[in-house]
Amino acid sequence: MTTSSPLPLPPFDWDIFCCVVDNFGDIGVTWRLARQLEQEGQGKVRLWVDDLTSFARICPGLDPELDGQWQQGIYIQHWRPSLPPSVIPARVVIEAFACKLPTAFAHAMAGQTPPPCWINLEYLSAESWVEECHGLASPQRVGNRSLDKYFFFPGFTARTGGLLCERGLIAERERWQQDQAGLDAYWASLGLAPKAADELRVSLFTYESAALISLVERWCQGPTPVTLLLPLGRSLGDVLRGAGLEHVLPTAQAGDLLHSGQLAIKLLPMTDQTGYDRLLWSCDLNLVRGEDSFVRAQWAARPFLWHIYPQEDLAHLTKLDDFLDHYLADLPPQAAQWLRAFNHALNQGDDVREFWAQWPQYDTISQQHARTWSQKLLADGDLVTRLVKFLESRI
């Protein structure tokens, strides 16, 4: 069902604003949040998005030409410089990742009694200061009125906002990973044979990095057959260079199956979020980037390497270490040291061939640790559970 006109009354329970950055990261998180709120009966959601073309890459039913439309029970509003007429803000208004609310919308909030609860949903961080700032209010002067804006920080400890994890996701993952016939059918749907006993299957969705060239070279020359599941994107050039297949780059397309030594590369189209979860669940190792794919790799309960979003002042390496301090805390020191160094080498564009040579030594403990970590993360509840509890005393 689609419509180009604003939704009539009654007003929404949630307004979520998203300014798309880096194509998929911010919209990936906010789309998951919107869907979870709707699916778990937390009320009606309106999602404001400034770049519907990028959004459509992960939501195939979306029409980028429409100002307003329903998708999966959520009203998608194209966020343009001018607001639709007679917009009534929802009971809860969320600025995703410090995007600035339209001035007219903020004034409409100030005109309501009581005003909406205003949340600034921050980027995920493992930094220690996040615990001190999570849940704090910041008074905002809007017209003649002061409105409180609350900072909500996703994180990895009980004193943060937790991580997005839909109800039933872990049980669905378990069913998927334990269904061998279903896994064989999944591989067949991608044009691949069932996974061989001595084979590794790896997904890769990262930014560009010279480290990828050395890693792919090692896969090509190593003793273990590796099948790389590669969604078309920014890392394609480095992967093909590492495999000695640069000449394929101008004509490479989804569906191609390329070979170089011990490495097979299956090129995949961009998929929706459910499809990406299943890819992560099916692989032995996942190389991921940014925030959304990084979190989903943790719910996959499989070993992963994180290519964090690079920053000019190298602040991202400190943030990487802050996360690894949590993730590696329960690993034996030698394994923790190896995995930390491997992640740093990937992020710094270093040669990673020697790190990969040690993979068989740490494979079993890495697999066990990934499962234990995913259970630990939910001990204090997921993000939506914590957000709703936070709002109960403020609405």
Side-chain angles (χ1 to χ4, degrees), residues 212-228 238-245 258-265 353 356:
L212 295 178
I213 299 174
S214 64
L215 181 59
V216 172
E217 286 175 350
R218 180 75 189 193
W219 285 338
C220 294
Q221 300 162 6
T224 303
V226 175
T227 297
L228 179 63
D238 287 335
V239 169
L240 294 184
R241 275 188 285 277
L245 297 171
L258 311 173
H259 294 273
S260 179
Q262 287 279 70
L263 176 65
I265 304 170
R353 283 175 288 194
W356 182 256

Side-chain angles (χ1 to χ4, degrees), residues 47-73:
L47 177 59
W48 300 72
V49 183
D50 66 341
D51 179 1
L52 296 184
T53 301
S54 292
F55 187 9
R57 298 282 301 280
I58 61 170
C59 181
L62 188 74
D63 185 346
E65 300 302 316
L66 294 178
D67 275 346
Q69 60 196 290
W70 287 99
Q71 290 292 331
Q72 301 181 38

Side-chain angles (χ1 to χ4, degrees), residues 51-192:
D51 179 1
L52 296 184
T53 301
S54 292
F55 187 9
R57 298 282 301 280
I58 61 170
C59 181
L62 188 74
D63 185 346
E65 300 302 316
L66 294 178
D67 275 346
Q69 60 196 290
W70 287 99
Q71 290 292 331
Q72 301 181 38
I74 295 151
Y75 191 75
I76 311 298
Q77 177 69 54
H78 192 176
W79 180 3
R80 298 183 182 277
S82 59
L83 295 180
S86 305
V87 165
I88 301 176
R91 293 193 305 150
V92 182
V93 176
I94 297 178
E95 291 179 335
F97 315 119
C99 69
K100 184 173 175 58
L101 288 182
T103 301
F105 193 91
H107 279 276
M109 291 167 56
Q112 291 182 278
T113 304
C117 190
W118 188 356
I119 300 288
N120 182 9
L121 178 65
E122 289 284 355
Y123 285 105
L124 171 64
S125 176
E127 295 167 283
S128 58
W129 61 266
V130 164
E131 292 186 335
E132 301 171 7
C133 296
H134 175 64
L136 293 183
S138 173
Q140 305 289 311
R141 194 71 187 173
V142 182
N144 321 336
R145 195 167 186 180
S146 179
L147 303 181
D148 282 334
K149 177 164 65 172
Y150 296 94
F151 293 94
F152 198 89
F153 284 86
F156 300 93
T157 70
R159 294 175 59 195
T160 66
L163 303 177
L164 283 172
C165 183
E166 302 88 335
R167 192 180 301 161
L169 180 75
I170 304 304
E172 184 182 355
R173 179 200 73 199
E174 289 300 290
R175 286 192 296 270
W176 181 272
Q177 292 181 339
Q178 294 170 18
D179 180 4
Q180 189 57 55
L183 285 168
D184 290 347
Y186 173 72
W187 295 126
S189 74
L190 299 181
L192 296 171

Side-chain angles (χ1 to χ4, degrees), residues 319-390:
K319 294 178 180 179
L320 172 66
D321 273 326
D322 288 331
F323 167 70
L324 292 174
D325 288 344
H326 290 287
Y327 185 69
L328 304 178
D330 296 329
L331 271 176
Q334 190 175 7
Q337 183 179 8
W338 164 77
L339 191 51
R340 185 185 295 272
F342 201 163
N343 274 279
H344 268 268
L346 171 65
N347 281 278
Q348 293 172 186
D350 296 338
D351 190 315
V352 298
R353 283 175 288 194
E354 289 307 310
F355 293 111
W356 182 256
Q358 299 175 67
W359 179 264
Q361 178 181 347
Y362 297 112
D363 182 23
T364 299
I365 193 170
S366 297
Q367 298 282 352
Q368 293 169 346
H369 179 65
R371 296 192 66 80
T372 302
W373 175 253
S374 78
Q375 296 166 356
K376 182 179 179 180
L377 285 175
L378 283 177
D380 298 296
D382 65 286
L383 186 146
V384 165
T385 299
R386 299 190 203 188
L387 177 59
V388 171
K389 184 176 181 180
F390 176 80

Side-chain angles (χ1 to χ4, degrees), residues 278-343:
R278 290 172 177 172
L279 176 64
L280 295 172
W281 297 347
S282 303
C283 289
D284 303 296
L285 168 68
N286 298 300
L287 280 73
V288 294
R289 77 187 203 195
E291 179 173 329
D292 186 53
S293 56
F294 164 58
V295 171
R296 304 315 282 195
Q298 293 172 69
W299 297 136
R302 295 283 197 241
F304 66 93
L305 297 171
W306 182 27
H307 197 183
I308 189 171
Y309 187 80
Q311 295 174 286
E312 289 184 3
D313 58 359
L314 301 184
H316 60 294
L317 297 181
T318 301
K319 294 178 180 179
L320 172 66
D321 273 326
D322 288 331
F323 167 70
L324 292 174
D325 288 344
H326 290 287
Y327 185 69
L328 304 178
D330 296 329
L331 271 176
Q334 190 175 7
Q337 183 179 8
W338 164 77
L339 191 51
R340 185 185 295 272
F342 201 163
N343 274 279

